[in-house]
Each structure stands twice: as C-alpha cells, then as structure tokens.
C-alpha cells in the first residue's frame, strides 16, 4: 500500500486529537489514514505539536518492559511527546474525566542540559548522560484514544502519541544520582490507604539510563533533536497502579525523592 500523503497524515491527526480533547475513543483510524510503519506513526504524532502554544516539554517512552510490550502487542518501546499543558507539578491534581487505562506509573525522568542533535552514529549511554542536567521523580498517567489499545498495533499507538495523557514531575533530586546504580535502585508506588507495589529501575528497559539513550537515538533516527530543557520520562518501574477517582498516588524513589498526585473525583 502506498505511503500516507500529507493530507492523510493530517486527517489521522485530526481524528486522534479530536478524540483526545473530547475524552472519546475510536475503534481504529480509517484504513486510508492508518499508518503501516513506525515512521508513518511518528509523522502523524508530530502534527500534534502545532496544536499547543508552549514549546514541547519533553518525551515519554512506552512499553519499556517485556510485559508492557506484550500487554499492548508491540515488539519494542515507543516514543511519545509530553506537552507542557499536560504537565502537573508535584502535588498537582489530575483533572477528572474519562481514562480507560486508569493507571499511574512510577518513573525516572531526566531533564536535558544540552542538545543531542541527529547524527549518523548512535549515542552511547555515557554520552547521553553527560548531556543531562537533573534527575526527577515522575508519575505518568497514560491513556489511549483507541477502544481496544491492546490490538491497535505499534504504528497506530505511536500516532496516538504512545498513549501519552498527563505527567506529574517532581523537583530535581539533590543527591548525587550519578553515583547510584539506577538499574538496581528500588522503586515503590503507593496508592494511599489501598495498596502499594515495589519495583526496580531495571524494569525500564534494563536500566533507566539505557532507556534515555534509546530515546535519544530513536529521535536521532527521525531527524529530531533531543533539546536542552526537555525532560524524558523513561518508563514505569513498577507494575502500573490501578487508580480510582479520589486516589492519592506517591512515586517513591527512596533517597532520590518522591512525587505525589491526587486524582480528582
């Protein structure tokens, strides 16, 4: 089938953005607008940026564990954009509304201190870490615009911004995080008064630092700069926390810090 032209990509973006803003779902993109490759998915996703006034805040990585990949039927991670209008501070309130995924995810988030522009050779982990300004605790609140996101497939999920929805960002840690083995670092997610779960940094693509390098190289391959000031959240380190309206969720990274959010009723 022929590659999607500009009009088809824009039509797909319009459908997904309309569903996002209305809290609606679709079964799938119409066949004539449906991306068949990751590249087409990213081209549709990119059309979200002009819809927001603020500069792009950062990036997320979906499906950084084998279990997460199996859950949504993909064979590798997916990158999505985080928009400033959808970022909440530590202690912020996630607005009420329809959220079919209804989970919160505990994550390591890296804020970049300098640009990593596209290039022919891959970035190494140490090279990417050298460009990092600060480390933060993050809580991602994903969602999908597909009625059955499990069977939508990678290209459609990428077009749908890799299930991005809201993101809660804690303050920069004041500990020497570069001296910590983040892969072995314990992680805890708490739904206040109901339950908690434990995990480890290695649940994010084997190491949150490796996940960050994956994102830098994924963008490089797409001709996109990972820019100074942008923040990358590197995937959940605990089994996603099922949430209900009124829940208070805390992401606890021990010495690195904590972040908390309330889900409005």
């Amino acid at each position: 089938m022929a590659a999607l032209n500009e009009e088809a990509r824009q039509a797909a973006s319009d459908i997904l953005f309309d569903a996002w803003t209305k809290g609606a779902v679709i079964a799938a993109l119409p066949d004539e607008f449906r991306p068949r490759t990751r590249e087409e998915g990213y081209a549709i996703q990119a059309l979200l940026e002009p819809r927001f006034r603020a500069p792009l805040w950062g990036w997320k990585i979906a499906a950084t564990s084998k279990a997460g990949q199996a859950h949504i039927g993909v064979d590798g991670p997916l990158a999505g954009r985080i928009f400033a209008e959808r970022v909440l501070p530590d202690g912020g309130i996630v607005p009420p509304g329809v959220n079919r995924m209804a989970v919160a995810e505990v994550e390591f988030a890296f804020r970049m201190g300098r640009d990593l522009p596209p290039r022919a050779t891959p970035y190494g982990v140490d090279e990417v870490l050298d460009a990092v300004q600060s480390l933060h605790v993050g809580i991602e609140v994903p969602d999908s615009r597909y009625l059955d996101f499990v069977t939508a497939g990678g290209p459609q999920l990428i077009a749908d911004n890799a299930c991005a929805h809201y993101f809660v960002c804690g303050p920069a840690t004041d500990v020497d995080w570069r001296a910590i083995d983040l892969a072995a670092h314990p992680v805890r997610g708490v739904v206040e008064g109901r339950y908690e779960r434990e995990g480890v940094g290695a649940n994010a693509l084997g190491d949150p630092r490796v996940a960050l390098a994956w994102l830098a190289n994924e963008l490089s391959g797409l001709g996109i700069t990972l820019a100074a000031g942008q923040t990358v959240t590197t995937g959940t380190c605990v089994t996603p926390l099922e949430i209900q309206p009124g829940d208070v969720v805390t992401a606890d990274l021990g010495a690195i810090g904590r972040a908390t959010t309330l889900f409005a009723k």
Side-chain angles (χ1 to χ4, degrees), residues 57-247:
W57 189 86
W59 299 86
K60 63 157 288 183
I61 312 174
T64 52
S65 70
K66 292 298 183 184
Q69 292 165 16
H71 180 56
I72 59 174
V74 297
D75 58 5
L78 315 173
R81 287 162 165 83
I82 300 176
F83 298 102
E85 292 86 345
R86 294 280 175 148
V87 176
L88 304 170
D90 182 23
I93 300 173
V94 178
V98 177
N99 183 338
R100 281 151 301 281
M101 286 188 166
V103 296
E105 301 182 342
V106 179
E107 313 199 359
F108 291 83
F110 298 86
R111 183 158 295 153
M112 307 308 296
R114 61 178 173 83
D115 290 356
L116 294 177
R119 69 183 197 188
T121 56
Y123 285 102
V125 174
D126 289 343
E127 190 175 9
V128 173
L129 288 174
D130 283 344
V132 172
Q133 174 182 306
S134 56
L135 176 64
H136 303 249
V137 181
I139 302 174
E140 193 195 353
V141 183
D143 198 13
S144 175
R145 274 51 71 176
Y146 298 114
L147 184 63
D148 185 3
F149 56 84
V150 174
T151 60
Q156 283 203 105
L157 291 172
I158 290 171
D160 186 34
N161 206 19
C163 303
H165 192 46
Y166 283 100
F167 184 72
V168 179
C169 188
T173 184
D174 57 6
V175 304
D176 181 13
W177 61 269
R178 295 178 188 273
I180 298 173
D181 181 358
L182 299 185
H185 193 73
V187 174
R188 193 165 62 107
V190 180
V191 180
E192 190 174 299
R194 297 210 295 126
Y195 67 94
E196 62 182 69
R197 289 186 182 141
E198 296 182 350
V200 66
N203 289 337
L205 212 58
D207 188 321
R209 297 164 294 192
V210 170
L212 176 65
W214 176 88
L215 188 281
N217 287 313
E218 183 82 344
L219 297 187
S220 179
L222 295 166
I224 299 171
T225 294
L226 176 55
Q230 292 180 347
T231 301
V232 179
T233 188
T234 51
T236 189
C237 294
V238 301
T239 301
L241 306 167
E242 298 87 4
I243 53 93
Q244 301 170 359
D247 277 342

